[in-house]
Amino acid sequence: MRTSESIEKLLREHGRTYADEAGITLRDKPAPLYQLLVLTVLSSIRISAGTATAAARELFSAGLRTPRAMADSSWQQRVDALGRAHYVRYDESTATALGEGAELVLDRFGGDLRRLREEAGGDRDALRSLLREVPRIGPVGADIFCREVQAVWPELRPFFDGRSLATAETLGLPHTPAGLARHVPPEDVARLAAALVRAGLSGGSGRESRVAA
């Protein structure tokens, strides 16, 4: 099968971003960018992809879609929302991290992650470093955020993290960011990166496993 055909198949079978699965209509606006940050925090521990996205949906359904709403919520409200998604073992510590993270976003960036983008000035390393100031987000979480946000922050394209590149190599596809990006239009790069992660997590079984490494 040719590379272009393989990538088309990959996109058909796995080409849904995690933001979309979590119910986030990603745009370069404060609320959806913050929601992606919440999803990133939820995905930054050893938890299944499905549980992380379900937890995000529960938090958003509870009205916790902005940093102000998250900061104003009680710790117990956050724990309860996570519990409804069966986000177990990490629910209490994550509820604390979400509250502290919301306060940081409000204090550091005025509640608007576009200011984080401006501060990074198009430098990926600077952006990843700023993201790591958020409680619970480490190198893996920073990669998750960048991988998804490239859909609306084009200066990050093409962004493929180590996991997606390793899967590409396993599948016999180009395994450099530029090599992969040549086969899709710019607006589909984020979908391709997510598809590679999903394919890698499924391990050929069709079922996804852990989000974080």
Side-chain angles (χ1 to χ4, degrees), residues 57-71:
R57 290 195 302 270
E58 285 292 344
L59 288 164
F60 304 152
S61 293
L64 309 184
R65 301 183 186 91
T66 67
R68 172 52 60 198
M70 188 70 76

Side-chain angles (χ1 to χ4, degrees), residues 47-80:
I47 200 82
S48 75
T51 299
T53 53
R57 290 195 302 270
E58 285 292 344
L59 288 164
F60 304 152
S61 293
L64 309 184
R65 301 183 186 91
T66 67
R68 172 52 60 198
M70 188 70 76
D72 288 347
S73 68
S74 71
W75 177 82
Q76 191 61 55
Q77 285 176 306
R78 299 191 292 271
V79 169
D80 290 346

Side-chain angles (χ1 to χ4, degrees), residues 69-153:
M70 188 70 76
D72 288 347
S73 68
S74 71
W75 177 82
Q76 191 61 55
Q77 285 176 306
R78 299 191 292 271
V79 169
D80 290 346
L82 295 171
R84 289 193 293 274
H86 307 291
Y87 194 96
V88 296
R89 291 178 56 200
Y90 305 101
D91 53 347
E92 295 186 355
S93 62
T94 300
T96 299
L98 288 169
E100 293 175 350
E103 294 287 359
L104 182 144
V105 172
L106 289 167
D107 295 342
R108 183 82 163 75
F109 305 110
D112 187 348
L113 290 174
R114 292 177 298 185
R115 295 187 184 181
L116 179 150
R117 181 189 188 186
E118 291 172 4
E119 188 169 330
D123 186 311
R124 287 187 183 184
D125 290 338
L127 180 63
R128 294 176 78 256
S129 179
L130 289 168
L131 287 166
R132 290 177 65 182
E133 293 182 16
V134 179
R136 182 61 65 77
I137 295 181
V140 171
D143 282 350
I144 291 170
F145 187 91
C146 290
R147 193 180 70 220
E148 296 274 320
V149 84
Q150 68 179 318
V152 294
W153 289 358

